[in-house]
Amino acid sequence: IFDMWSEADEQELADCSKYDDLKTLEQSSIFSMDCDKILETQGTPRHRYRPKYLTVSDLAKQHWCEQQLLYDLSPEVYLIRALPEMKVNLKETPEQSETKEKGSDIHLAREMEIQVPVPVKVESKEDEWAVKLLNLQFAVMAFHKGCKLAREIPVFGMPFGGDIFIFGIIDELQFDLQQYTIAISELKTRKSCHPPKKGQQEKDEFQVGLYAQLFNELVQGKMNKDLMAIHLQLNMETQLSQGLKSHINGLGTNFRSANCSLGSVVDTVLNQVQSMICIKEVKIEYIHQDTKAVISTVDTALDTNYIQKVFTEQQQWWNGQRGTRGVEVEDCWKCHFCKFSELCEWREIMAAKQGR
Ligand code: SF4
């Protein structure tokens, strides 16, 4: 499997630190506008924050709390609500960084059990997407070679005939060639040794279900080169860089010709994915970060109707067809863990409604 890097990554890191500085500003002025009014004047959330494509992680965060996602995406929106005495410091605490790092290490160790990532330099966005396609192709090859597993599989598409392009990476696909089934499996690491609350588990089930839907629609042939070119602003005629071509030539795939454009990779891989079968079963495994012990598992059938219902409502928000919502009253425990709770306008609205 390829692990891509580019010189632009370093610039992006520099930009991130500037963004962090902005996030730690202590705001001294107060305005009375609310988030949705600001957004109205500056375009839909989709145009503003994700003009090309959303990730499955964006939608999982939205499932947790849409208001929190908005604050996370848009420092200027919450900063204008911050009172001078509020210290809005959104930098990760050392404890949060450690938790994240431990989770990444466990995921990497899992991946390394079956494959070693090969660093590949990418020189254009077309190279980047070719690498994603090739990593998807490795899963197809694993399935047809009789392997039991594939890990870190990129999937993408426009689920349920919607107009938003989504990208994500599946943790693991499990192939049972005797039963001729494919199950999707997601590993979640937890700092606590207790099983997740219902709200956390629902978010995880939605996330995995959406991955499965993207995969299934690829198998059903619902993605094509033209849709990718339009939504991702890719030029399918672009030749891949020499460095990437030389990696491809070493793979033993059928991309050997000197004329290796992104379009030829897309056509080949999308065609090959259709030789697989759809996912029907979803598994989630919760593991304790420190002991690596399994805390709990979820093993369930894919609930496409639920995924579609949630996704359709989410899509309305991204397209500016409705305002922003926070958590429902029964989920207000989430606010205790939220860094925005002091200035959250959704909480103000809910409190006002209850006081009526
Ligand atoms: Fe969402 Fe509660 Fe945070 Fe507001 S305080 S953003 S409703 S989790």
Side-chain angles (χ1 to χ4, degrees):
I1 192 157
F2 290 140
D3 187 10
M4 65 180 124
W5 68 276
S6 75
E7 274 150 14
D9 291 344
E10 281 152 33
Q11 184 55 45
E12 204 174 302
L13 280 179
D15 291 345
C16 276
S17 65
K18 272 189 238 147
Y19 180 78
D20 279 347
D21 289 344
L22 174 64
K23 287 199 288 187
T24 53
L25 274 179
E26 207 175 321
Q27 184 71 8
S28 56
S29 54
I30 315 164
F31 298 89
S32 57
M33 285 176 80
D34 65 31
C35 294
D36 287 328
K37 287 208 181 86
I38 295 164
L39 293 174
E40 263 172 42
T41 60
Q42 296 175 350
T44 64
R46 184 178 163 197
H47 290 123
R48 198 165 148 72
Y49 308 116
R50 297 286 187 264
K52 286 188 190 166
Y53 64 91
L54 272 67
T55 64
V56 174
S57 303
D58 290 329
L59 297 166
K61 282 183 192 164
Q62 187 178 5
H63 190 284
W64 179 259
C65 176
E66 193 171 84
Q67 185 74 61
Q68 190 186 72
L69 170 74
L70 175 62
Y71 288 144
D72 261 330
L73 287 171
S74 178
E76 68 277 19
V77 170
Y78 65 74
L79 281 175
I80 66 163
R81 293 185 54 81
L83 298 168
E85 64 271 23
M86 289 180 193
K87 284 211 181 249
V88 184
N89 188 346
L90 302 177
K91 277 190 177 168
E92 265 177 13
T93 63
E95 203 185 330
Q96 285 168 329
S97 307
E98 194 195 347
T99 305
K100 229 186 210 177
E101 219 170 281
K102 280 184 184 169
S104 306
D105 288 349
I106 293 172
H107 274 93
L108 183 62
R110 277 265 176 131
E111 185 186 352
M112 299 282 277
E113 286 168 5
I114 64 160
Q115 60 202 17
V116 181
V118 177
V120 175
K121 185 178 177 188
V122 291
E123 294 181 17
S124 64
K125 56 187 183 185
E126 282 78 13
D127 270 2
E128 283 179 23
W129 276 91
V131 169
K132 291 179 171 99
L133 266 295
L134 292 166
N135 285 340
L136 172 60
Q137 190 191 38
F138 290 142
V140 181
M141 286 158 57
F143 175 70
H144 288 298
K145 279 184 181 165
C147 300
K148 289 190 173 157
L149 293 176
R151 287 189 175 141
E152 301 295 312
I153 306 115
V155 281
F156 50 88
M158 302 176 71
F160 305 107
D163 63 350
I164 297 183
F165 200 99
I166 316 282
F167 172 78
I169 298 184
I170 292 175
D171 259 4
E172 180 175 296
L173 288 178
Q174 299 174 351
F175 308 130
D176 183 336
L177 295 178
Q178 244 120 50
Q179 305 286 327
Y180 204 59
T181 58
I182 300 183
I184 184 169
S185 175
E186 176 84 6
L187 173 71
K188 294 285 181 197
T189 61
R190 288 179 64 74
K191 201 172 155 215
S192 151
C193 57
H194 300 291
K197 280 182 186 266
K198 187 167 161 272
Q200 174 77 54
Q201 192 172 307
E202 281 172 356
K203 173 183 88 81
D204 297 337
E205 285 181 26
F206 169 73
Q207 181 180 6
V208 187
L210 191 55
Y211 286 133
Q213 182 67 23
L214 289 167
F215 178 85
N216 289 350
E217 293 198 12
L218 286 170
V219 172
Q220 291 158 357
K222 293 186 180 171
M223 181 42 58
N224 63 54
K225 196 166 61 178
D226 294 339
L227 284 174
M228 289 181 71
I230 294 166
H231 287 273
L232 305 172
Q233 291 159 31
L234 296 169
N235 181 353
M236 292 290 163
E237 305 302 317
T238 302
Q239 290 292 305
L240 304 186
S241 63
Q242 280 309 324
L244 183 51
K245 276 185 189 172
S246 58
H247 277 288
I248 291 173
N249 286 339
L251 288 177
T253 63
N254 43 359
F255 304 121
R256 284 175 180 282
S257 78
N259 176 24
C260 190
S261 64
L262 173 63
S264 64
V265 174
V266 171
D267 279 340
T268 305
V269 177
L270 290 185
N271 192 33
Q272 289 177 349
V273 176
Q274 291 179 50
S275 65
M276 298 181 84
I277 48 174
C278 288
I279 295 166
K280 292 203 176 115
E281 202 184 332
V282 171
K283 299 178 184 187
I284 307 173
E285 192 178 14
Y286 294 95
I287 288 196
H288 185 228
Q289 276 194 341
D290 291 333
T291 61
K292 318 271 187 308
V294 176
I295 302 167
S296 63
T297 53
V298 175
D299 203 335
T300 177
L302 176 63
D303 185 349
T304 309
N305 290 338
Y306 172 70
I307 308 297
Q308 180 168 16
K309 180 177 167 291
V310 175
F311 176 73
T312 305
E313 282 180 19
Q314 291 185 326
Q315 193 170 239
Q316 287 165 355
W317 181 77
W318 285 100
N319 285 332
Q321 291 160 340
R322 64 168 176 81
T324 310
R325 297 176 194 150
V327 299
E328 297 299 333
V329 176
E330 63 268 25
D331 282 332
C332 66
W333 58 269
K334 292 179 181 175
C335 304
H336 296 300
F337 303 96
C338 177
K339 56 200 171 195
F340 304 108
S341 59
E342 228 184 327
L343 48 80
C344 172
E345 62 203 276
W346 177 260
R347 278 170 66 82
E348 284 171 17
I349 294 167
M350 296 304 268
K353 269 188 190 168
Q354 291 198 330
R356 244 192 266 145

